[in-house]
Amino acid sequence: MPQPTASARHAHSVTRTLYVVITVIPPIALVVYLIGSLLLSGGQVSASMDTKWDPVIPYPLFPVPTAILVGLAAISAVLALIVAVSARAGDELGQRGLLGPTAAAMVSAFGFSLLVPDGGTRSGDTVFGQQWVAAVVYTAALVLLLVGVAASTAKSRRRRGADA
């Protein structure tokens, strides 16, 4: 069985790295938002909370537009497709490593929709922003990655069977 070329392996590696860099932006932004709100916005992280001390910066610390989160999620989904398609036998561990950042991005998109709703919809006392749409796109990226893991695992098994 022919080995993948160095350029194909390099393209997969670069795409996987780019995927991680793009996908961890929302979780990092959520952590910055939460810590910054606790320190600078008087402990108020959502509209339903009251300030606990005098804020330096009023709530919200920074807005998180739906377009930015959905755009990052769409880029991640395209990169997930490329990672899944370009995966070779033996790449399954690297692909499994992408599942955690993807899940974190899904949770952070949903978290932003609750904490800093953008164009929200009221559901009882809670307002859900439209940022939740990014969580759906990240779910699609997660499915693509899982398909890529399955395909890479199958390739590895076939290769081991051929080598035996």
Side-chain angles (χ1 to χ4, degrees):
M1 176 176 250
Q3 293 295 321
T5 63
S7 63
R9 178 80 55 202
H10 178 71
H12 176 77
S13 178
V14 168
T15 304
R16 191 175 65 224
T17 303
L18 188 58
Y19 177 85
V20 171
V21 169
I22 297 294
T23 304
V24 299
I25 291 172
I28 290 171
L30 181 62
V31 169
V32 168
Y33 174 81
L34 290 172
I35 292 172
S37 292
L38 289 172
L39 296 174
L40 301 173
S41 294
Q44 181 180 8
V45 295
S46 71
S48 62
M49 294 179 68
D50 293 326
T51 58
K52 290 158 186 46
W53 51 84
D54 291 335
V56 176
I57 300 172
Y59 167 85
L61 183 63
F62 55 83
V64 183
T66 300
I68 290 175
L69 282 178
V70 172
L72 288 170
I75 293 168
S76 292
V78 169
L79 291 171
L81 177 64
I82 295 168
V83 166
V85 168
S86 67
R88 306 277 192 247
D91 286 340
E92 53 269 7
L93 284 180
Q95 287 182 293
R96 286 183 192 146
L98 302 178
L99 301 179
T102 307
M106 290 167 47
V107 169
S108 64
F110 189 73
F112 275 128
S113 76
L114 290 172
L115 298 174
V116 192
D118 182 25
T121 303
R122 181 165 295 282
S123 175
D125 289 339
T126 306
V127 177
F128 289 99
Q130 294 174 346
Q131 294 101 320
W132 66 268
V133 173
V136 174
V137 178
Y138 281 119
T139 302
L142 185 68
V143 169
L144 289 169
L145 290 173
L146 289 171
V147 168
V149 168
S152 185
T153 301
K155 290 174 188 175
S156 292
R157 286 185 183 152
R158 278 196 305 268
R159 187 171 77 183
R160 272 186 257 131
D163 290 344

